[in-house]
Amino acid sequence: MPPADILTVPPAYSIYKSLPVDVAGVGRIVDWYVPASDSGKPTIVFFHGNASDRTDFMQAGERFHKIGWGVLLTSYPGYSGNPGNPTESTLMQSARASLDALGHPAGGVLLWGHSLGSGVAARMASEGRGEALLLEAPYTSVVDVAAAIYPIFPARLIVKDQFDTLSLVPHIAVPVMIIHGDGDPVVPFAMGKELAEHFGNRAVFVPIPHFASHFPHADRDLNEMVDHWWLRH
């Protein structure tokens, strides 16, 4: 469900600059990027949700940049005027290309995935990319979400792109933080909890009580908590 807006260069008032990314078999997409102002701080690589785009994390990224972090706002094929079609395969291709274009920042990389993007971030972590993983409002798999929303349909048989994050858990070796509101109206809170249980002591689970929103990063200031967690690892 890509938004209709076509995004090219960042707004003039923004801290971000365009980062062109060539994706094999797709074409050139555009990410937005601001490097860390403190070489000892990491860079967030943010993978947005299904009905979102790069602008979704702009303000949250600005808060992180104020404490020295870098931020890369990734984009997907078929979103924001980019070429290609958004599928599980093309999203993973573009994520790999974005990380390759970023290179290896001195302070390391935090892979941060929100909603649909949580599956992209988890796959990148399972491939050994990044030093830590943050899953925000994550699902066990997209097909599980579809089955919960449409219980009368055979979702497990007809959903092609499954984004099976739960199956990736044994292959993720980096520290993990999971943030989920207990009243999330889009992705059931139970899925974030289940992922945390499967990670065991490899993950920090941050439930947000009495929180009926799908967007913790937009409604809460998470930078201090995430910064402290990063420093502990």
Side-chain angles (χ1 to χ4, degrees):
M1 296 171 56
D5 293 341
I6 294 177
L7 303 176
T8 53
V9 298
Y13 60 81
S14 169
I15 62 173
Y16 303 94
K17 302 297 182 184
S18 294
L19 178 66
V21 176
D22 292 318
V23 184
V26 173
R28 175 165 289 185
I29 64 175
V30 180
D31 294 342
W32 292 349
Y33 173 56
V34 59
S37 57
D38 180 340
S39 61
K41 294 289 188 178
T43 295
I44 293 169
V45 178
F46 182 75
F47 300 99
H48 63 73
N50 181 39
S52 299
D53 56 33
R54 278 162 283 172
T55 63
D56 176 39
F57 200 77
M58 281 182 66
Q59 290 185 340
E62 289 171 0
R63 292 194 294 269
F64 275 95
H65 188 62
K66 286 180 180 178
I67 60 171
W69 289 53
V71 182
L72 176 64
L73 306 176
T74 69
S75 192
Y76 303 145
Y79 276 70
S80 307
N82 291 327
N85 295 311
T87 66
E88 183 172 7
S89 176
T90 61
L91 263 61
M92 300 309 174
Q93 284 177 257
S94 67
R96 295 183 190 105
S98 291
L99 288 164
D100 288 345
L102 173 65
H104 302 282
V109 167
L110 169 60
L111 300 163
W112 185 322
H114 172 247
S115 193
L116 177 66
S118 67
V120 182
R123 176 70 71 83
M124 295 304 102
S126 75
E127 296 177 0
R129 301 168 182 266
E131 282 67 48
L133 172 65
L134 195 153
L135 302 175
E136 181 188 2
Y139 44 78
T140 48
S141 72
V142 161
V143 71
D144 288 342
V145 176
I149 295 173
Y150 304 107
I152 65 172
F153 293 104
R156 300 187 188 283
L157 298 178
I158 62 177
V159 174
K160 180 181 178 182
D161 294 334
Q162 302 206 357
F163 291 88
D164 187 355
T165 300
L166 190 61
S167 70
L168 300 175
V169 169
H171 307 288
I172 296 173
V174 297
V176 179
M177 174 178 277
I178 298 173
I179 302 174
H180 211 147
D182 65 357
D184 190 324
V186 178
V187 178
F189 172 74
M191 292 190 183
K193 185 177 180 182
E194 184 177 353
L195 282 172
E197 289 169 350
H198 278 76
F199 275 110
N201 60 13
R202 291 181 292 144
V204 173
F205 183 44
V206 183
I208 304 179
H210 314 297
F211 188 71
S213 170
H214 187 53
F215 295 88
H217 68 262
D219 298 325
R220 298 290 173 93
D221 189 346
L222 303 174
N223 62 313
E224 183 175 346
M225 176 184 69
V226 174
D227 189 57
H228 287 171
W229 168 71
W230 175 274
L231 290 173
R232 290 199 302 272
H233 294 89

